[in-house]
Amino acid sequence: ANDLASFHKDKGDGCKTCHQTPGKVADDSENYINTQCKSCHGDYAALKNPKLKIDPHDSHLGDINCTSCHKGHEQSKVYCNECHSFDLKIPFNDAKKKEAWDAKWDQQKIQQAIAKGPVESTDVVIIGAGSAGYNAAIAAKQAGAKVILVEKAPFSGGNSMLAAGGMNAVGTPQQKAHHVEDKVEWFVEDTMKGGRYANDPKLVEILAEQSAAGVKWLESLGVNMDDLKRSGGARVDRTHRPADGRSAGPTIIQALRKAADKYGVETRLNSRAEKLVVNDDHQIVGVVVHGKHSGYYMLSAKSVVLTTGGYGYNKEMIAYYRPTFKGMTSSNNITATGDGINMAKEIGASMTDIDWIQAHPTIGVDSRILISETVRGVGAIMVNAKGQRFISELATRDRASDAILKQPGKFAWLVFDNQLYKKAKMVRGYDHLGMLKTADTIDGLAKLTGMDSKLLASTIGDYNQYQKTGDDKAFHRQDMPLNVTQPPYYAVKVAPGIHHTMGGVAIDTKAEVLDLQSWPIKGLYAAGEVTGGVHGYNRLGGNAIADTVVFGKIAGENAAANALKK
Ligand code: MEZ
C-alpha cells in the first residue's frame, strides 16, 4: 500500500472501513471517517503516548479531527509542522507538503455556483471558526436563528487557538477579589493611548463597557478566567486568564467548541467561503462556499458574519501594506490570509487603518512561537545580547519591538528565575519545546547565552533593588511582581514578529460592515481581527480576545435580529 486508504482497504473491511458509502465522503467535515478512525484506534486520550517527548495526540489544538493529519487518498502530514519543526513520524507522510491557503480561487467555479443559485438556505452564515466566529454563532443561535459556521481549515480555532495571554476586562468579580481598582474610563484611555488615538472611540467604549459581561458570558460557556495579570500599556491588572496557568486561547476555544455543539451550531470544516453574494440593492443574499468534497455551492442567508481573522500570514498582503515587514516571521496561524478582507473589498466595503500591522516583540528566535507577554507581566526582565536592560518590559508592543530592533543583533533575551517558572505554566511549554537556556548561576546563564557575565549580574542586581523599593530607576517599569534571585535561572531568545493586523473592514457599533460611503451593507456583519477601528495603530495585549468576545457576540445578535425580522 502506498497510502492510508489502500492500507486500510487491504487490511480491513474494504472501503467501508472508512466510508459509509464507498466512493463518497458524506460531509466536508469528514465526521463519519473520524468516527470510524476513533472506533478502531480509540480517542485522543487513548492515543496519548507518555514515551513521546512531543506527543501530537496531546497538543494545544485539542481533540481535532484525525483527518487533519492522517489522509486517506493523499499523503499524510504532521499539521504541527506548519509552525514547529518536530521530528515526528506519521505513516504515509509527505513532510514537505504545505497548505496553500492563499492560493488563487477559481473565479469561474464561483460564478457557476452563483448562476446555479443557492442549494441550501439558512438565517445566518458565519465565516471563520475562531473565537469571534464561535461567539457570534452561539449568540445568533441563542437568539433563535438557524446558523451555519464555515471554517476552511480541517479544525476550528483560527488564530484565537494560539492566543497565549488572556482577555482584558474591567469591573469583574475577579478584579474585585484581587483588590484591583479599575474604571471603564481607564480601560478606554489606555486602549486609545496604546492605539496612538487612531482608534474609533465609540468602538473602544463598547469594548470596555461590555468587557465584564464578556468574561461572564465566557464563564457561562464553561471557561475559567480567574487569574489576573497586567499586559503592556495597561495601568492595572485587567488581563483575565485561566486560573490553572494554561494559555488562554486553547482553553477558550475548547470550551467554545463544546458550547457550539451543545447549542446546535452547525459547524462545517474544510469549507472555505470564497465569495459574498449581494443583490441589485447591494444587500447580502448569500455566500459561495468551496467544500473539500462537495465542491462549490451557494448558501443563501439573510445575514453573513465575517470572522475570518486578519492577514498576518498572507506574505503578499504584508509586503504590500508594510514593505518594511516583508519576510518577517509571524506568530499567526497559517490560515490568517485576509480572506474576509478581500471578500468584503470585492463588494465595496470600506477599510479602516488597513496598513497597520503589529509586530509582537517576543517571538522565539528561529521559531514561530510567541513567548507570551504574560512572561514579562509575571516578572521576567528583558535584556540585550550583552545582558543590559534597554526598555521597560511593560512598554507597548510597538515601542518594545522598535527598541529590540535597535539592539545589537536585533534580538533580546527574556531572563527569569525559578519563581516565575513555577508560577507561569506556559513557560514549561517553552521548556518542553527546548526553547529555554537554563543554568544554576547567573554566570552560567551568561556563558550559555553569550552575554557579558558582569553586565548581566549587575543588571539583575540593580533590578532586584528596584523591585524591592518598587521604583524602577532605570526604565520606570510600573509593576515588578518578582525579583530574579532563585536558581535555576532561565533565558529565552526573542525578536519581533508579525502578530496582529489592526486594520480591516470598517464597522459601526452594531458590527455592521460599512460601504465606501459609510452606510451599512445590509446583512453583512464582522467581528474580531478582520475589522479595523478597535485598536487604532497598535493593539494592547489582552484586547484581541476581548474584541472577539464582545464584538463577536454583538455581531451574532445583530445578524440574528436582521435575519429573523419580519
Ligand atoms: O493579546 C495578545 O496578543 C497577547 C496577550 C499576547 C501575548 O503576548 O500573550
Side-chain angles (χ1 to χ4, degrees), residues 110 113-114 272-275 277 286-290 296-298:
I110 291 173
I114 296 174
R272 186 169 66 187
E274 297 193 359
K275 180 85 184 164
V277 188
V287 182
V288 175
V289 178
H290 179 186
Y296 286 78
Y297 62 94
M298 182 179 158

Side-chain angles (χ1 to χ4, degrees), residues 163-166 229 231 239 358 360 362 370-374 376 397 499 539-545:
K229 61 123 191 151
S231 294
T239 306
Q358 176 172 81
H360 190 293
T362 61
L370 177 101
I371 307 299
S372 175
E373 205 166 303
T374 305
R376 282 170 287 144
R397 292 174 178 179
H499 183 54
R539 176 176 69 74
L540 294 189
N543 272 355
I545 294 286

Side-chain angles (χ1 to χ4, degrees), residues 99-105 152 159 272 308-343 345-346 354-358 368 497-501 503 529:
E99 299 286 347
W101 294 117
D102 46 3
K104 299 277 171 277
W105 301 345
K152 67 180 175 180
N159 243 2
R272 186 169 66 187
T308 43
Y311 61 91
Y313 205 70
N314 186 320
K315 295 184 172 61
E316 256 177 47
M317 287 174 82
I318 296 283
Y320 178 76
Y321 287 121
R322 186 65 85 87
T324 50
F325 284 0
K326 188 175 169 185
M328 195 183 242
T329 187
S330 169
S331 67
N332 279 208
N333 193 325
I334 50 172
T335 54
T337 50
D339 299 5
I341 290 169
N342 291 327
M343 281 189 285
K345 243 196 210 160
E346 275 175 5
I354 186 69
D355 51 339
W356 283 89
I357 299 170
Q358 176 172 81
R368 302 220 291 109
I498 289 154
H499 183 54
H500 192 97
T501 48
E529 199 173 341

Side-chain angles (χ1 to χ4, degrees), residues 148-198:
I148 297 179
L149 171 60
V150 292
E151 166 58 51
K152 67 180 175 180
F155 53 88
S156 62
N159 243 2
S160 319
M161 188 80 194
L162 309 180
M167 168 168 170
N168 288 344
V170 49
T172 59
Q174 285 86 342
Q175 280 189 319
K176 204 165 168 203
H178 286 80
H179 310 291
V180 176
E181 193 202 336
D182 198 3
K183 294 181 183 161
V184 166
E185 300 86 76
W186 289 355
F187 187 146
V188 171
E189 279 168 28
D190 291 349
T191 301
M192 294 295 297
K193 186 174 173 206
R196 312 281 162 252
Y197 299 96

Side-chain angles (χ1 to χ4, degrees), residues 11 47 54 57 73 76 78 80 88 166 174 198 212 281 298 350 359 365 381 407 448 464 502 504 512 517 561:
K11 299 257 173 215
L47 286 165
I54 302 289
H57 294 118
H73 299 275
S76 295
V78 178
C80 310
L88 288 170
Q174 285 86 342
D281 295 329
M298 182 179 158
S350 171
V365 167
I381 63 168
Q407 301 309 306
L448 274 179
N464 288 342
M502 270 79 61
E512 294 173 302
Q517 283 72 43

